[in-house]
Amino acid sequence: MAAHMSPVELFKQADLVVKSVMIGLTLASIWTWAIIIGHTLKLRRVNRENERFEKDFWTVEDIDRFHHKRGGEELPAAKVFSAGIVEWRRSTGGKSVDKDGTRQRLMTAMHAAAGAEVDKLADRLNILATIGSVAPFVGLFGTVWGIMRSFTDIAGANNTSLAVVAPGIAEALFATAIGLFAAIPAVIAYNRMTHGINRIEARLLRFADSFHGTLSRELEVDG
């Protein structure tokens, strides 16, 4: 009986519908862990490199030279910085400068760049949310189907002993277990990564506001 209750045997004994549910949930679990590992490493790298970029930026004396050297880096902080520089050059390149308009455009450009970078970081996190919310119900569907099959076996065998119903019920519950195995890490990772991305967004906006203050003071000096 114990050998028949092993995960491999439960899968073999299941009918086509329950097998399809188990395979789908297993693939969803693998996909979930691939996203979790990939995004965890990515967020750590972005945090580390953003911190280094900001530290280097606040120690430079020539912003134009710094932009020429590091403005093209594929970092959220670098994108926000470049958006501010580009808008600064556009707004102050004419003979007359609208100070209030320049300040507003600088803020809009840098905040838009920060939002675009956050959207990139959040890419595929919706998959975790979908798996976390749908997988338990898919597993429940497999469970209901398996229990219905068990009742059919009871009626066919005209026997209500545990030996008749146990395999079907076990495979049905195994489908639910796989669904939870896929859903629980997805929900935890989604909440954790959303919190991490929110922290990155807050840091980008603080950097944008600080850089905006620097450029705003430069407008007063030029005036």
Side-chain angles (χ1 to χ4, degrees):
M1 180 64 69
H4 288 293
M5 293 298 178
S6 68
V8 176
E9 289 300 322
L10 289 176
F11 176 79
K12 291 180 179 179
Q13 295 167 13
D15 66 356
L16 183 60
V17 174
V18 180
K19 280 183 178 178
S20 299
V21 170
M22 291 180 179
I23 292 173
L25 291 173
T26 301
L27 293 176
S29 180
I30 294 172
W31 196 6
T32 294
W33 281 105
I35 294 174
I36 290 172
I37 295 172
H39 269 65
T40 299
L41 297 176
K42 182 178 181 180
L43 292 180
R44 287 180 180 177
R45 177 183 59 81
V46 168
N47 266 319
R48 184 174 60 253
E49 295 182 357
N50 269 351
E51 183 177 359
R52 185 183 302 119
F53 182 91
E54 291 182 32
K55 186 180 296 184
D56 293 342
F57 169 76
W58 293 116
T59 59
V60 300
E61 297 181 357
D62 191 335
I63 292 180
D64 287 329
R65 182 179 299 175
F66 184 79
H67 178 256
H68 178 73
K69 181 180 178 181
R70 302 191 57 182
E73 293 183 6
E74 292 296 324
L75 285 176
K79 296 294 184 181
V80 172
F81 168 67
S82 294
I85 289 295
V86 170
E87 184 57 45
W88 168 266
R89 289 174 177 173
R90 288 175 179 174
S91 297
T92 60
K95 294 182 179 180
S96 62
V97 178
D98 180 2
K99 294 182 180 180
D100 291 335
T102 298
R103 290 189 180 96
Q104 185 61 42
R105 286 190 294 271
L106 285 170
M107 183 65 71
T108 301
M110 288 190 286
H111 279 211
E117 293 304 307
V118 169
D119 287 341
K120 290 179 183 178
L121 292 175
D123 184 38
R124 294 194 299 174
L125 288 189
N126 62 317
I127 297 175
L128 293 181
T130 301
I131 292 175
S133 60
V134 172
F137 294 101
V138 176
L140 182 60
F141 169 75
T143 298
V144 172
W145 187 273
I147 292 176
M148 290 172 57
R149 181 168 172 260
S150 296
F151 284 136
T152 302
D153 292 340
I154 291 173
N158 197 22
N159 187 349
T160 58
S161 67
L162 184 62
V164 175
V165 300
I169 295 176
E171 72 188 37
L173 295 176
F174 186 50
T176 298
I178 297 176
L180 294 175
F181 182 75
I184 292 174
V187 172
I188 294 174
Y190 177 79
N191 291 332
R192 185 63 181 169
M193 290 182 183
T194 299
H195 175 68
I197 290 174
N198 288 339
R199 291 183 62 185
I200 291 175
E201 181 180 18
R203 182 163 190 163
L204 287 176
L205 293 178
R206 287 196 300 269
F207 174 68
D209 291 341
S210 298
F211 186 37
H212 179 270
T214 300
L215 296 177
S216 181
R217 287 191 295 272
E218 187 67 23
L219 277 176
E220 297 300 329
V221 172
D222 292 342

